[in-house]
Amino acid sequence: MSLQANKQEPILQVQHLKKYFPVTGQFGRLGGIKGQVKAVNDVSFDIYNGETLGIVGESGCGKSTTGRTILRLMEPTAGKVLYQNQDLVQMSKQELRRTRKDLQMVFQDPYSSLNPRKNVGQILEEPLNIHAIGDKKERRERTLEMLNKVGLGADYYYRYPHEFSGGQRQRLGLARALILNPKVIICDEPVSALDVSIQSQVLNLLEELQDEFDLTYLFITHDISVVRHISDRIGVMYLGKIVEEASTDQLFAEPLHPYTKALFSAVPRPNMDEDKRERIVLKGDIPSPLNPPTGCMFHTRCPFATEVCKNVVPERKEIASGHYVSCHLY
């Protein structure tokens, strides 16, 4: 597990973050805007120095969009993102470029995030060139150091991305994120495209690097077992909202939200008879973010929904110390 979080002051604060995508008519914007896809809809959380916050949920719930919007790879519709009490949303392009040295991202598909026309040395040295860090010799030394840190040697310096396996490419993605010595790394499904045996290697590498460099992770995934292994705290996301947040131990010991319970019930457990395992099967499909339900987003699939769930948006409540849930049942 990663370093014990220093919870005196959050290193990153996300406050009421929203990202809406306009839906246009047949002729684009000339036909007018027909609606909005509410991909991220009022998301708030804090991340503390040295910890890993996991974000988990079904595909299409807005996890990846949240990560990209935090770094302003997508411009947010509303909300604040405070890094060391400075709002990234309000920063100019010049201020944002300087701050991005501290905030890096590891993408889900390592191959598409690596320039196929450049070799490894050029790919890893590019961030150092952009930020004018060191001379040519120092940049090469820094690149070779990072290759060693992620388990690749100097022999890989002149190779191209197509010459690597999926696990090796993801290690290159980690090296590129680390080369500027960042404080926070957003990991967007970094192991979902890898074989199970390679997944464990990359996860162990992430933990080792976190301990060595005092890194803070926002770890985005749909895999419950992965997020349980690597996270200090977990936020459960459904249809653009975080419906429950707690420490990993708290959440797995006593999940509160019906959606969280359904997610966890689908995870196979060793040494448990399948016939005895209580499986919660949700009815219906995930509603469209273009036309989300009124009240609680989950009420159309929730077995415990009442009239108030259909009409009133549940408030975020702290049920136990550090355990938050948005549900009318509590």
Side-chain angles (χ1 to χ4, degrees):
M1 191 59 68
S2 58
L3 292 171
Q4 181 67 32
N6 175 14
K7 298 201 172 183
Q8 298 302 313
E9 184 71 28
I11 190 171
L12 190 70
Q13 297 173 279
V14 178
Q15 299 177 356
H16 306 292
L17 187 67
K18 297 180 181 181
K19 177 58 182 176
Y20 298 166
F21 294 96
V23 177
T24 57
Q26 183 178 358
F27 302 102
R29 291 189 178 273
L30 293 176
I33 296 176
K34 304 298 182 181
Q36 290 180 317
V37 174
K38 297 180 178 180
V40 179
N41 193 9
D42 199 13
V43 165
S44 299
F45 56 80
D46 295 338
I47 308 178
Y48 297 89
N49 185 53
E51 77 165 353
T52 300
L53 174 64
I55 301 293
V56 67
E58 294 171 285
S59 296
C61 71
K63 307 183 300 294
S64 295
T65 304
T66 299
R68 291 169 180 263
T69 306
I70 288 171
L71 294 185
R72 278 183 63 187
L73 300 179
M74 296 176 174
E75 289 295 330
T77 303
K80 293 182 178 181
V81 179
L82 302 177
Y83 169 67
Q84 295 181 337
N85 295 320
Q86 292 183 305
D87 190 359
L88 301 181
V89 176
Q90 300 299 325
M91 285 185 178
S92 66
K93 290 183 178 180
Q94 290 77 14
E95 291 172 326
L96 187 61
R97 171 177 283 196
R98 289 193 295 269
T99 307
R100 277 212 175 116
K101 286 193 296 184
D102 292 344
L103 304 162
Q104 292 293 307
M105 190 163 191
V106 177
F107 296 92
Q108 178 177 359
D109 183 356
Y111 190 60
S112 66
S113 66
L114 300 172
N115 190 333
R117 293 192 175 96
K118 293 185 176 182
N119 63 36
V120 167
Q122 292 170 324
I123 289 171
L124 295 187
E125 288 177 17
E126 186 174 19
L128 300 175
N129 292 328
I130 290 172
H131 291 280
I133 297 174
D135 56 27
K136 187 174 181 180
K137 180 182 178 182
E138 291 170 337
R139 290 168 188 166
R140 179 183 171 86
E141 290 174 351
R142 175 70 173 167
T143 297
L144 294 175
E145 179 189 355
M146 283 299 106
L147 285 174
N148 286 323
K149 291 291 186 186
V150 298
L152 301 173
D155 295 342
Y156 295 90
Y157 184 89
Y158 292 106
R159 295 190 186 182
Y160 287 81
H162 71 271
E163 300 179 70
F164 293 88
S165 67
Q168 289 174 324
R169 289 175 193 147
Q170 198 57 283
R171 289 172 185 266
L172 288 177
L174 281 170
R176 182 177 56 185
L178 285 169
I179 203 161
L180 291 174
N181 196 25
K183 304 297 183 186
V184 179
I185 296 181
I186 295 178
C187 302
D188 183 14
E189 304 253 22
V191 297
S192 64
L194 306 178
D195 294 337
V196 174
S197 60
I198 307 300
Q199 283 186 9
S200 62
Q201 294 177 18
V202 173
L203 289 173
N204 290 335
L205 176 62
L206 283 167
E207 291 183 325
E208 291 169 9
L209 293 171
Q210 184 173 39
D211 290 339
E212 182 174 351
F213 294 102
D214 192 22
L215 297 170
T216 303
Y217 291 146
L218 175 63
F219 195 94
I220 296 166
T221 183
H222 65 272
D223 192 320
I224 303 293
S225 58
V226 168
V227 81
R228 182 176 191 176
H229 172 77
I230 200 169
S231 301
D232 298 303
R233 290 186 298 120
I234 297 173
V236 180
M237 199 163 184
Y238 181 80
L239 209 62
K241 289 179 176 288
I242 291 182
V243 296
E244 187 167 1
E245 181 188 335
S247 70
T248 302
D249 292 339
Q250 277 181 311
L251 198 64
F252 278 87
E254 190 178 6
L256 297 178
H257 198 282
Y259 177 64
T260 308
K261 293 179 180 179
L263 274 185
F264 288 3
S265 75
V267 180
R269 299 180 187 178
N271 305 322
M272 177 176 283
D273 192 331
E274 282 294 314
D275 295 332
K276 296 180 180 178
R277 183 161 65 97
E278 182 184 357
R279 177 71 194 274
I280 302 173
V281 180
L282 299 177
K283 297 180 180 179
D285 298 323
I286 301 176
S288 169
L290 179 60
N291 185 26
T294 57
C296 175
M297 295 279 194
F298 189 60
H299 84 260
T300 57
R301 304 174 73 194
C302 181
F304 309 106
T306 61
E307 281 300 317
V308 69
C309 301
K310 299 177 183 179
N311 300 304
V312 181
V313 177
E315 294 181 3
R316 173 183 164 99
K317 308 181 189 74
E318 187 172 17
I319 305 302
S321 178
H323 195 157
Y324 300 89
V325 66
S326 300
C327 180
H328 289 299
L329 295 175
Y330 303 96

